[in-house]
Amino acid sequence: MSGPLQGLKVIEFGGIGPGPFCAMMLSDMGADVIRLDRKADKGKDRGEGAFLASGRRSVLHRGRRSVAVDLKSPADVQRVLELVDGADAIIEGFRPGVMERLGLGPDVLLARHPRLVYGRMTGWGQDGPLAQAAGHDINYIALSGALSMIGRSDGGPVAPPAMVGDLGGGGMILAFGIVCALLEARSSGHGQVVDAAITDGAALLTSIVCDLKALGMWKNERQANLLDGGSHFYDTYECADGKWISIASLEPQFYVLLLEKLGISDPEFQRQRDPAVWPTLKRQVTDIFRSQPSTHWCALLEGTDVCFAPVLTLEEAAHHPHNSARGTFFERDGVLQPSPAPRFSRTVTDRPGPAPFIGEHDDELL
Protein backbone atom coordinates (compact mmCIF):
# COMPACT_ATOMS: atom_id res chain seq x y z
CA MET A 1 0.00 0.00 0.00
CA SER A 2 1.08 3.57 -0.64
CA GLY A 3 -0.14 6.71 1.08
CA PRO A 4 0.82 9.21 3.80
CA LEU A 5 0.93 6.50 6.51
CA GLN A 6 3.24 4.16 4.59
CA GLY A 7 5.79 2.66 6.99
CA LEU A 8 3.37 2.68 9.93
CA LYS A 9 2.66 -0.73 11.46
CA VAL A 10 -0.56 -1.34 13.39
CA ILE A 11 -1.80 -4.44 15.22
CA GLU A 12 -5.59 -4.77 15.28
CA PHE A 13 -7.20 -7.06 17.82
CA GLY A 14 -10.20 -8.43 15.92
CA GLY A 15 -13.58 -6.95 16.71
CA ILE A 16 -16.62 -5.55 14.94
CA GLY A 17 -17.82 -2.10 13.89
CA PRO A 18 -15.78 0.92 14.97
CA GLY A 19 -12.47 -0.89 15.58
CA PRO A 20 -12.33 -2.39 12.08
CA PHE A 21 -13.42 0.95 10.61
CA CYS A 22 -10.52 2.68 12.36
CA ALA A 23 -8.16 -0.02 11.07
CA MET A 24 -9.61 0.36 7.56
CA MET A 25 -8.99 4.12 7.62
CA LEU A 26 -5.37 3.65 8.65
CA SER A 27 -4.84 0.87 6.11
CA ASP A 28 -6.45 2.96 3.37
CA MET A 29 -3.82 5.62 4.05
CA GLY A 30 -0.96 3.14 3.59
CA ALA A 31 -0.41 1.72 7.09
CA ASP A 32 0.49 -1.96 7.37
CA VAL A 33 -2.35 -3.28 9.53
CA ILE A 34 -2.19 -6.83 10.86
CA ARG A 35 -5.49 -8.13 12.16
CA LEU A 36 -5.47 -10.74 14.92
CA ASP A 37 -8.44 -13.04 14.33
CA ARG A 38 -9.77 -15.82 16.51
CA LYS A 39 -8.09 -19.11 15.73
CA ALA A 40 -11.41 -20.89 16.34
CA ASP A 41 -12.86 -19.09 13.29
CA LYS A 42 -10.08 -20.09 10.88
CA GLY A 43 -11.43 -22.02 7.92
CA LYS A 44 -15.04 -21.23 8.75
CA ASP A 45 -17.40 -19.16 6.61
CA ARG A 46 -18.46 -17.12 9.60
CA GLY A 47 -16.96 -15.41 12.61
CA GLU A 48 -16.49 -11.82 13.61
CA GLY A 49 -18.26 -9.77 10.95
CA ALA A 50 -20.05 -10.57 7.70
CA PHE A 51 -18.53 -12.80 5.02
CA LEU A 52 -18.91 -13.02 1.27
CA ALA A 53 -19.63 -16.25 -0.55
CA SER A 54 -15.89 -16.46 -1.23
CA GLY A 55 -15.19 -16.66 2.51
CA ARG A 56 -13.62 -13.22 2.55
CA ARG A 57 -14.92 -10.36 4.61
CA SER A 58 -15.38 -7.07 2.83
CA VAL A 59 -15.19 -3.27 3.12
CA LEU A 60 -14.42 -2.78 6.86
CA HIS A 61 -11.75 -5.52 6.72
CA ARG A 62 -10.16 -4.58 3.42
CA GLY A 63 -6.49 -4.01 2.73
CA ARG A 64 -4.79 -5.78 5.63
CA ARG A 65 -3.20 -9.04 6.69
CA SER A 66 -4.69 -11.59 9.09
CA VAL A 67 -3.21 -14.04 11.55
CA ALA A 68 -5.25 -16.43 13.68
CA VAL A 69 -4.45 -16.61 17.39
CA ASP A 70 -5.90 -17.94 20.62
CA LEU A 71 -5.49 -15.20 23.21
CA LYS A 72 -6.07 -17.74 25.99
CA SER A 73 -3.00 -19.69 24.88
CA PRO A 74 0.27 -18.58 26.55
CA ALA A 75 2.20 -19.56 23.42
CA ASP A 76 -0.04 -17.43 21.19
CA VAL A 77 0.07 -14.51 23.64
CA GLN A 78 3.86 -14.64 23.38
CA ARG A 79 3.59 -14.53 19.58
CA VAL A 80 1.29 -11.52 19.88
CA LEU A 81 3.78 -9.77 22.17
CA GLU A 82 6.50 -10.28 19.59
CA LEU A 83 4.27 -8.80 16.87
CA VAL A 84 3.46 -5.81 19.04
CA ASP A 85 7.17 -5.22 19.75
CA GLY A 86 7.58 -4.23 16.12
CA ALA A 87 4.43 -2.10 15.87
CA ASP A 88 3.78 1.61 16.18
CA ALA A 89 0.20 1.29 17.43
CA ILE A 90 -2.46 -1.20 18.42
CA ILE A 91 -6.26 -1.13 18.18
CA GLU A 92 -8.44 -3.04 20.65
CA GLY A 93 -12.16 -2.88 21.28
CA PHE A 94 -12.80 -5.14 24.27
CA ARG A 95 -14.65 -4.08 27.41
CA PRO A 96 -12.42 -2.34 29.97
CA GLY A 97 -10.23 -4.83 31.82
CA VAL A 98 -10.32 -7.65 29.26
CA MET A 99 -6.89 -6.91 27.76
CA GLU A 100 -5.42 -6.63 31.26
CA ARG A 101 -6.78 -10.08 32.15
CA LEU A 102 -5.22 -11.48 28.96
CA GLY A 103 -1.82 -10.09 29.97
CA LEU A 104 -1.90 -7.61 27.09
CA GLY A 105 -2.91 -4.43 28.89
CA PRO A 106 -1.18 -1.08 28.40
CA ASP A 107 1.06 -1.48 31.46
CA VAL A 108 2.54 -4.67 29.97
CA LEU A 109 2.82 -3.48 26.39
CA LEU A 110 4.14 0.01 27.14
CA ALA A 111 6.74 -1.45 29.49
CA ARG A 112 8.02 -3.59 26.59
CA HIS A 113 7.58 -0.89 23.96
CA PRO A 114 7.58 2.65 25.45
CA ARG A 115 6.77 4.40 22.14
CA LEU A 116 3.67 2.29 21.48
CA VAL A 117 0.35 4.06 20.95
CA TYR A 118 -2.35 1.96 22.59
CA GLY A 119 -5.71 2.69 20.94
CA ARG A 120 -8.80 1.62 22.93
CA MET A 121 -12.25 1.62 21.34
CA THR A 122 -15.34 1.32 23.56
CA GLY A 123 -18.90 2.57 23.61
CA TRP A 124 -18.92 4.19 27.04
CA GLY A 125 -15.20 4.74 27.67
CA GLN A 126 -12.62 3.16 29.95
CA ASP A 127 -14.23 4.58 33.09
CA GLY A 128 -17.53 5.98 34.33
CA PRO A 129 -20.68 4.30 35.75
CA LEU A 130 -21.56 2.61 32.42
CA ALA A 131 -18.06 1.46 31.48
CA GLN A 132 -18.85 -2.25 31.94
CA ALA A 133 -22.34 -2.18 30.40
CA ALA A 134 -23.16 -3.65 27.00
CA GLY A 135 -24.42 -1.31 24.30
CA HIS A 136 -24.65 -0.53 20.62
CA ASP A 137 -24.53 2.51 18.36
CA ILE A 138 -28.10 3.64 19.04
CA ASN A 139 -27.51 3.60 22.82
CA TYR A 140 -24.30 5.61 22.60
CA ILE A 141 -25.72 8.34 20.38
CA ALA A 142 -28.85 8.44 22.55
CA LEU A 143 -26.79 9.17 25.67
CA SER A 144 -24.64 11.73 23.83
CA GLY A 145 -27.66 13.84 22.89
CA ALA A 146 -27.15 13.35 19.16
CA LEU A 147 -30.07 10.96 18.59
CA SER A 148 -32.62 13.40 20.02
CA MET A 149 -32.01 15.72 17.06
CA ILE A 150 -32.57 13.18 14.28
CA GLY A 151 -36.12 12.48 13.08
CA ARG A 152 -39.42 14.07 12.17
CA SER A 153 -41.63 16.16 14.44
CA ASP A 154 -44.55 13.75 14.10
CA GLY A 155 -42.55 10.70 15.20
CA GLY A 156 -39.78 9.54 17.48
CA PRO A 157 -36.04 9.81 16.99
CA VAL A 158 -34.72 7.89 13.97
CA ALA A 159 -31.43 6.01 14.34
CA PRO A 160 -28.96 6.38 11.45
CA PRO A 161 -27.40 2.99 10.56
CA ALA A 162 -24.33 2.99 12.84
CA MET A 163 -22.78 5.99 11.11
CA VAL A 164 -23.00 8.80 13.68
CA GLY A 165 -21.86 6.62 16.60
CA ASP A 166 -19.82 3.59 15.62
CA LEU A 167 -18.11 5.06 12.56
CA GLY A 168 -18.10 8.86 12.99
CA GLY A 169 -17.98 9.17 16.76
CA GLY A 170 -16.04 5.95 17.28
CA GLY A 171 -13.73 4.61 14.57
CA MET A 172 -12.95 7.95 12.96
CA ILE A 173 -12.21 9.60 16.31
CA LEU A 174 -9.92 6.71 17.29
CA ALA A 175 -8.04 6.95 13.98
CA PHE A 176 -7.56 10.68 14.59
CA GLY A 177 -6.46 10.02 18.18
CA ILE A 178 -3.92 7.40 17.13
CA VAL A 179 -2.35 9.69 14.54
CA CYS A 180 -2.24 12.54 17.11
CA ALA A 181 -0.51 10.31 19.65
CA LEU A 182 1.97 9.06 17.04
CA LEU A 183 2.90 12.63 16.14
CA GLU A 184 3.39 13.49 19.81
CA ALA A 185 5.56 10.39 20.35
CA ARG A 186 7.98 11.64 17.70
CA SER A 187 9.01 14.52 19.98
CA SER A 188 8.49 12.98 23.42
CA GLY A 189 9.70 9.48 22.67
CA HIS A 190 6.79 8.08 24.66
CA GLY A 191 3.61 6.36 23.60
CA GLN A 192 0.32 6.55 25.48
CA VAL A 193 -3.22 5.19 25.74
CA VAL A 194 -5.91 6.67 23.49
CA ASP A 195 -9.32 6.25 25.17
CA ALA A 196 -11.88 6.63 22.36
CA ALA A 197 -15.46 6.36 23.62
CA ILE A 198 -18.30 6.48 21.12
CA THR A 199 -20.34 8.59 23.55
CA ASP A 200 -17.55 11.19 23.65
CA GLY A 201 -17.11 11.20 19.88
CA ALA A 202 -20.84 11.42 19.17
CA ALA A 203 -21.09 14.29 21.63
CA LEU A 204 -18.24 16.02 19.78
CA LEU A 205 -20.29 15.80 16.59
CA THR A 206 -23.03 17.90 18.23
CA SER A 207 -20.69 20.92 18.43
CA ILE A 208 -22.58 22.93 15.81
CA VAL A 209 -25.87 22.43 17.65
CA CYS A 210 -24.25 23.50 20.93
CA ASP A 211 -23.14 26.65 19.13
CA LEU A 212 -26.63 27.34 17.78
CA LYS A 213 -28.21 26.73 21.20
CA ALA A 214 -25.82 29.25 22.76
CA LEU A 215 -26.95 31.79 20.17
CA GLY A 216 -30.60 31.11 20.97
CA MET A 217 -31.10 29.57 17.52
CA TRP A 218 -31.95 25.97 18.43
CA LYS A 219 -34.97 24.41 20.12
CA ASN A 220 -35.06 20.87 21.52
CA GLU A 221 -38.09 19.98 19.38
CA ARG A 222 -37.28 18.09 16.18
CA GLN A 223 -37.99 19.87 12.88
CA ALA A 224 -38.27 23.22 14.62
CA ASN A 225 -34.86 24.53 13.60
CA LEU A 226 -32.91 25.87 10.68
CA LEU A 227 -30.82 22.76 10.01
CA ASP A 228 -33.12 19.88 11.00
CA GLY A 229 -35.80 20.16 8.33
CA GLY A 230 -37.81 22.76 10.19
CA SER A 231 -37.52 25.41 7.51
CA HIS A 232 -38.99 25.25 4.00
CA PHE A 233 -35.61 26.00 2.40
CA TYR A 234 -33.56 23.26 4.16
CA ASP A 235 -35.24 19.89 3.89
CA THR A 236 -35.97 16.89 1.69
CA TYR A 237 -39.02 16.73 -0.60
CA GLU A 238 -40.85 13.92 -2.36
CA CYS A 239 -41.36 14.22 -6.11
CA ALA A 240 -44.16 12.97 -8.37
CA ASP A 241 -42.27 9.72 -9.08
CA GLY A 242 -41.81 8.89 -5.38
CA LYS A 243 -38.13 9.85 -5.36
CA TRP A 244 -36.71 12.48 -3.06
CA ILE A 245 -34.56 15.58 -3.46
CA SER A 246 -32.74 17.87 -1.01
CA ILE A 247 -32.76 21.66 -0.81
CA ALA A 248 -30.38 23.83 1.27
CA SER A 249 -30.92 27.41 0.10
CA LEU A 250 -29.64 28.98 3.33
CA GLU A 251 -27.96 32.15 2.10
CA PRO A 252 -30.22 34.99 0.83
CA GLN A 253 -28.85 34.92 -2.71
CA PHE A 254 -29.39 31.15 -2.94
CA TYR A 255 -32.90 31.53 -1.54
CA VAL A 256 -33.77 34.21 -4.12
CA LEU A 257 -32.63 31.84 -6.87
CA LEU A 258 -34.75 29.02 -5.41
CA LEU A 259 -37.87 31.20 -5.52
CA GLU A 260 -37.05 32.23 -9.08
CA LYS A 261 -36.54 28.65 -10.26
CA LEU A 262 -39.77 27.48 -8.60
CA GLY A 263 -41.75 30.42 -9.95
CA ILE A 264 -42.72 31.63 -6.46
CA SER A 265 -43.84 35.29 -6.19
CA ASP A 266 -45.91 35.13 -2.99
CA PRO A 267 -44.66 38.01 -0.74
CA GLU A 268 -44.93 35.74 2.32
CA PHE A 269 -41.82 33.93 1.07
CA GLN A 270 -39.80 37.08 1.76
CA ARG A 271 -40.01 36.14 5.46
CA GLN A 272 -37.30 33.52 4.95
CA ARG A 273 -35.95 33.41 8.53
CA ASP A 274 -39.30 33.72 10.34
CA PRO A 275 -40.08 30.32 11.92
CA ALA A 276 -43.71 31.36 12.38
CA VAL A 277 -44.40 31.04 8.64
CA TRP A 278 -42.22 28.00 7.92
CA PRO A 279 -45.02 25.39 8.21
CA THR A 280 -47.29 27.28 5.81
CA LEU A 281 -44.54 27.96 3.29
CA LYS A 282 -43.31 24.36 3.51
CA ARG A 283 -46.73 23.05 2.51
CA GLN A 284 -46.60 25.18 -0.64
CA VAL A 285 -43.07 24.05 -1.51
CA THR A 286 -44.11 20.44 -0.87
CA ASP A 287 -46.95 20.76 -3.38
CA ILE A 288 -44.64 22.29 -5.97
CA PHE A 289 -42.07 19.50 -5.77
CA ARG A 290 -44.76 16.82 -5.84
CA SER A 291 -46.06 18.22 -9.13
CA GLN A 292 -43.10 16.96 -11.19
CA PRO A 293 -40.84 13.88 -11.25
CA SER A 294 -37.33 14.02 -9.83
CA THR A 295 -35.82 14.11 -13.33
CA HIS A 296 -37.51 17.45 -13.90
CA TRP A 297 -36.07 18.95 -10.73
CA CYS A 298 -32.61 17.55 -11.40
CA ALA A 299 -32.61 19.10 -14.86
CA LEU A 300 -33.78 22.44 -13.46
CA LEU A 301 -31.77 22.71 -10.24
CA GLU A 302 -28.71 20.44 -10.23
CA GLY A 303 -25.45 22.35 -10.61
CA THR A 304 -27.03 25.71 -9.75
CA ASP A 305 -26.51 27.84 -6.65
CA VAL A 306 -29.88 26.75 -5.28
CA CYS A 307 -27.87 24.15 -3.29
CA PHE A 308 -29.62 21.04 -4.54
CA ALA A 309 -28.96 17.31 -4.78
CA PRO A 310 -31.12 14.26 -5.42
CA VAL A 311 -31.41 11.77 -2.55
CA LEU A 312 -29.69 8.71 -4.02
CA THR A 313 -29.33 5.09 -3.01
CA LEU A 314 -25.76 3.81 -2.76
CA GLU A 315 -26.06 2.16 -6.17
CA GLU A 316 -27.37 5.36 -7.70
CA ALA A 317 -24.68 7.41 -5.97
CA ALA A 318 -21.93 5.21 -7.40
CA HIS A 319 -23.12 5.94 -10.94
CA HIS A 320 -23.82 9.65 -10.55
CA PRO A 321 -21.59 11.59 -13.00
CA HIS A 322 -19.91 13.61 -10.24
CA ASN A 323 -19.03 10.57 -8.12
CA SER A 324 -18.00 8.60 -11.21
CA ALA A 325 -15.64 11.39 -12.28
CA ARG A 326 -13.99 11.44 -8.85
CA GLY A 327 -13.98 7.67 -8.36
CA THR A 328 -15.83 8.07 -5.06
CA PHE A 329 -16.87 4.41 -5.15
CA PHE A 330 -15.32 1.26 -6.56
CA GLU A 331 -16.25 -2.39 -6.78
CA ARG A 332 -14.17 -5.38 -5.71
CA ASP A 333 -15.29 -9.01 -5.64
CA GLY A 334 -18.77 -7.81 -6.54
CA VAL A 335 -18.96 -5.51 -3.51
CA LEU A 336 -19.64 -1.79 -3.96
CA GLN A 337 -17.64 0.26 -1.48
CA PRO A 338 -16.36 3.81 -0.92
CA SER A 339 -12.86 4.78 -1.99
CA PRO A 340 -10.29 5.96 0.56
CA ALA A 341 -10.69 9.55 1.73
CA PRO A 342 -9.35 12.19 1.95
CA ARG A 343 -7.09 12.55 -1.06
CA PHE A 344 -3.49 13.73 -1.17
CA SER A 345 -1.63 15.53 -3.95
CA ARG A 346 1.71 13.78 -3.43
CA THR A 347 1.31 10.65 -1.27
CA VAL A 348 -1.49 9.20 -3.37
CA THR A 349 -3.25 6.16 -1.89
CA ASP A 350 -3.75 2.88 -3.75
CA ARG A 351 -7.09 1.22 -4.20
CA PRO A 352 -7.42 -1.05 -1.13
CA GLY A 353 -6.83 -4.76 -1.52
CA PRO A 354 -9.43 -7.35 -0.55
CA ALA A 355 -10.17 -8.43 2.99
CA PRO A 356 -8.02 -11.38 4.07
CA PHE A 357 -9.13 -14.88 4.89
CA ILE A 358 -8.82 -15.56 8.62
CA GLY A 359 -5.26 -16.68 9.28
CA GLU A 360 -4.21 -16.11 5.68
CA HIS A 361 -0.84 -14.72 6.75
CA ASP A 362 -0.02 -17.05 9.64
CA ASP A 363 3.05 -18.53 7.95
CA GLU A 364 4.30 -15.15 6.88
CA LEU A 365 3.92 -13.36 10.21
CA LEU A 366 4.07 -16.03 12.95
Side-chain angles (χ1 to χ4, degrees):
M1 288 290 291
S2 62
L5 296 184
Q6 188 171 14
L8 182 71
K9 186 174 181 180
V10 180
I11 305 299
E12 172 198 3
F13 287 80
I16 60 175
F21 182 70
C22 171
M24 184 198 82
M25 289 187 65
L26 299 177
S27 175
D28 281 355
M29 293 297 111
D32 177 15
V33 180
I34 300 169
R35 178 179 167 94
L36 305 181
D37 282 303
R38 293 198 327 158
K39 187 175 287 186
D41 291 328
K42 186 173 182 179
K44 296 182 180 180
D45 61 355
R46 59 187 179 277
E48 294 173 334
F51 283 71
L52 303 177
S54 66
R56 291 188 184 274
R57 288 164 299 199
S58 61
V59 187
L60 292 185
H61 301 89
R62 69 192 186 190
R64 45 207 194 261
R65 296 184 285 176
S66 166
V67 295
V69 295
D70 177 3
L71 295 181
K72 295 181 180 180
S73 161
D76 277 10
V77 168
Q78 182 59 39
R79 295 186 181 100
V80 169
L81 289 171
E82 292 168 2
L83 281 174
V84 171
D85 285 343
D88 299 287
I90 73 160
I91 298 168
E92 66 93 359
F94 298 111
R95 291 197 205 192
V98 171
M99 289 289 279
E100 284 80 356
R101 290 194 293 274
L102 292 170
L104 296 167
D107 289 347
V108 172
L109 297 192
L110 287 169
R112 292 174 61 101
H113 185 356
R115 294 177 65 95
L116 181 71
V117 171
Y118 196 110
R120 314 197 83 166
M121 182 78 262
T122 59
W124 310 110
Q126 293 298 311
D127 53 33
L130 296 175
Q132 291 296 332
H136 277 296
D137 179 279
I138 189 173
N139 311 125
Y140 309 136
I141 66 174
L143 196 74
S144 74
L147 183 58
S148 70
M149 308 168 197
I150 305 171
R152 294 288 178 180
S153 59
D154 57 355
V158 177
M163 293 185 288
V164 174
D166 279 2
L167 303 193
M172 195 173 291
I173 292 295
L174 179 57
F176 173 68
I178 286 173
V179 173
C180 288
L182 287 168
L183 287 173
E184 193 278 337
R186 288 183 176 181
S187 57
S188 70
H190 298 286
Q192 59 184 307
V193 175
V194 180
D195 175 5
I198 297 173
T199 48
D200 296 346
L204 188 64
L205 297 179
T206 70
S207 298
I208 188 170
V209 176
C210 291
D211 195 27
L212 291 170
K213 285 179 74 71
L215 295 170
M217 297 173 60
W218 191 275
K219 300 177 182 178
N220 286 333
E221 295 83 4
R222 285 182 293 280
Q223 277 196 292
N225 303 287
L226 185 68
L227 301 179
D228 66 351
S231 68
H232 57 291
F233 51 89
Y234 194 97
D235 203 358
T236 58
Y237 290 95
E238 187 177 15
C239 306
D241 55 2
K243 294 188 175 182
W244 292 74
I245 57 172
S246 67
I247 296 291
S249 307
L250 286 168
E251 290 77 7
Q253 66 273 28
F254 301 158
Y255 182 69
V256 168
L257 182 60
L258 173 68
L259 299 185
E260 176 188 322
K261 292 286 188 179
L262 298 186
I264 295 175
S265 57
D266 184 345
E268 282 293 285
F269 277 85
Q270 299 307 312
R271 299 165 63 183
Q272 179 187 5
R273 295 300 179 104
D274 184 356
V277 299
W278 286 352
T280 300
L281 302 186
K282 178 170 286 191
R283 284 192 289 271
Q284 295 184 50
V285 176
T286 297
D287 290 341
I288 291 172
F289 282 124
R290 280 181 176 165
S291 69
Q292 297 288 342
S294 58
T295 50
H296 171 85
W297 300 117
C298 286
L300 180 67
L301 302 175
E302 194 164 22
T304 74
D305 280 354
V306 162
C307 300
F308 165 94
V311 178
L312 304 177
T313 65
L314 281 173
E315 292 77 14
E316 291 169 338
H319 294 97
H320 187 279
H322 181 79
N323 293 332
S324 293
R326 288 183 57 80
T328 303
F329 294 87
F330 72 98
E331 189 173 302
R332 182 182 293 280
D333 297 329
V335 177
L336 177 67
Q337 52 194 287
S339 298
R343 303 171 190 211
F344 299 84
S345 62
R346 183 170 51 81
T347 53
V348 179
T349 58
D350 293 331
R351 178 168 288 184
F357 295 107
I358 290 178
E360 183 175 343
H361 304 94
D362 285 359
D363 292 343
E364 175 185 346
L365 295 169
L366 295 182

